[in-house]
């Protein structure tokens, strides 16, 4: 059962550098995949988080843009700025992206970073980051404030993603605010829905056509046998 928590938690006092060091040592002792956290001289630290993308609606990306190359990444070339043409598609369900971030990286920056990696040009305000926890057989989701630090939450929870994981979903505020989408986006949504409808119809037709053929074959075999 999925339950979304909306209750805000009281934040404790910020930990000291010594406390952070102890937590990192404890965290790294449990790591089994070499994705360790590293403490910097200035008291900040870096590490890895995994974000599950559970998006139910299509996203908008530049049309006809090739995948980003290593050269583009090193030169920080933004391919999305190289064309005004847009198209929409559904990201794979429960796609997972691993990010290397700092203790100063906020939820807002994580969302923007994920959209950039997938070359999504939608407004970041359309998305939200949740922490997913399991308790008493329930899956609990809590929306994180944009100023929260995901790596600190990962440090406190430990490396076990069954205890805590991060999920990016649509920033639900009740009803879908269609006014937030442009006319080309809405037209693309209609095209996608039309294609999905046609594909579903073809699947159903093929299913019953095979069933019909098996029935006809069974009747043909039965008619040749003595009653």
């Amino acid at each position: 059962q999925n339950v979304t928590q909306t209750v805000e938690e009281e934040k404790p006092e910020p930990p000291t550098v010594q406390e952070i060091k102890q937590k990192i040592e404890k965290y790294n002792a449990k790591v089994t995949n070499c994705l360790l956290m590293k403490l910097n001289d200035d008291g900040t630290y870096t590490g890895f988080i995994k974000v599950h993308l559970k998006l139910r609606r299509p996203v908008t990306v530049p049309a006809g843009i090739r995948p980003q190359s290593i050269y583009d990444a090193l030169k920080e070339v933004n391919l999305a700025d190289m064309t005004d043409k847009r198209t929409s598609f559904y990201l794979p369900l429960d796609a997972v992206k691993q990010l290397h971030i700092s203790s100063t990286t906020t939820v807002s920056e994580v969302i923007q970073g994920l959209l950039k990696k997938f070359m999504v040009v939608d407004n970041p305000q359309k998305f939200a980051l949740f922490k997913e926890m399991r308790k008493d057989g329930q899956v609990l989701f809590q929306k994180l404030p944009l100023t929260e630090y995901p790596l600190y939450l990962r440090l406190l929870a430990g490396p076990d993603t069954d205890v805590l994981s991060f999920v990016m979903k649509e920033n639900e505020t009740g009803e879908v605010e269609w006014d937030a989408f442009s006319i080309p986006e809405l037209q693309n949504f209609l095209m996608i829905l039309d294609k999905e409808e046609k594909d579903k119809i073809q699947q159903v037709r093929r299913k019953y056509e095979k069933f019909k053929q098996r029935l006809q074959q069974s009747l043909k075999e039965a008619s040749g046998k003595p009653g």
Side-chain angles (χ1 to χ4, degrees):
Q1 182 179 1
N2 293 342
V3 179
T4 301
Q5 291 184 335
T6 56
V7 179
E8 291 290 335
E9 296 180 352
E10 293 185 4
K11 287 192 175 183
E13 290 294 323
T16 64
V17 175
Q18 183 60 31
E19 290 173 335
I20 288 293
K21 181 179 180 181
Q22 293 174 353
K23 291 180 183 297
I24 289 177
E25 290 175 350
K26 184 178 179 180
Y27 179 96
N28 288 342
K30 298 179 181 178
V31 171
T32 58
N33 54 11
C34 299
L35 301 180
L36 303 174
M37 288 199 187
K38 180 182 178 182
L39 181 64
N40 302 319
D41 294 336
D42 60 0
T44 62
Y45 51 97
T46 57
F48 297 85
I49 63 169
K50 287 184 178 181
V51 181
H52 297 254
L53 280 70
K54 297 183 178 181
L55 302 178
R56 296 178 297 165
R57 295 196 290 269
V59 295
T60 305
V61 298
I65 289 293
R66 57 182 170 79
Q68 190 176 39
S69 67
I70 295 178
Y71 174 82
D72 294 328
L74 292 175
K75 295 296 184 180
E76 296 186 350
V77 175
N78 190 352
L79 298 177
D81 293 336
M82 297 174 64
T83 178
D84 293 330
K85 297 180 180 180
R86 299 287 184 261
T87 187
S88 297
F89 78 106
Y90 285 94
L91 285 173
L93 291 177
D94 205 20
V96 180
K97 189 66 179 179
Q98 186 167 274
L99 300 175
H100 184 249
I101 63 174
S102 165
S103 56
T104 61
T105 304
T106 63
V107 165
S108 176
E109 292 169 333
V110 167
I111 292 174
Q112 293 179 47
L114 285 168
L115 297 181
K116 184 177 180 180
K117 285 182 179 295
F118 285 97
M119 292 195 293
V120 176
V121 296
D122 290 299
N123 191 328
Q125 295 180 357
K126 296 179 182 179
F127 307 92
L129 193 68
F130 293 77
K131 64 177 181 180
E132 178 182 327
M133 301 162 290
R134 300 178 186 276
K135 183 179 180 181
D136 300 330
Q138 292 183 327
V139 178
L140 307 176
F141 289 92
Q142 182 175 359
K143 182 180 175 180
L144 297 174
L146 293 177
T147 55
E148 182 64 270
Y149 302 108
L151 192 61
Y152 181 61
L153 299 178
R154 179 80 279 160
L155 177 62
L156 293 180
D160 189 352
T161 55
D162 288 336
V163 176
L164 170 72
S165 58
F166 296 103
V167 178
M168 190 172 84
K169 301 194 294 184
E170 283 86 0
N171 188 12
E172 300 291 359
T173 56
E175 294 295 326
V176 177
E177 298 180 3
W178 296 110
D179 292 341
F181 296 90
S182 66
I183 296 298
E185 286 179 319
L186 295 174
Q187 291 174 337
N188 280 326
F189 294 165
L190 289 175
M191 291 175 60
I192 292 172
L193 291 173
D194 184 61
K195 182 178 183 302
E196 288 185 341
E197 181 184 27
K198 290 179 180 179
D199 290 343
K200 190 66 176 179
I201 291 174
Q202 289 297 325
Q203 291 176 11
V204 173
R205 286 178 174 172
R206 286 194 294 267
K207 174 183 175 181
Y208 283 98
E209 182 63 29
K210 290 181 180 179
F211 185 59
K212 178 180 177 181
Q213 291 175 358
R214 287 198 295 267
L215 283 177
Q216 291 175 337
Q217 182 65 28
S218 297
L219 288 172
K220 182 178 180 180
E221 293 175 354
S223 62
K225 298 178 181 179

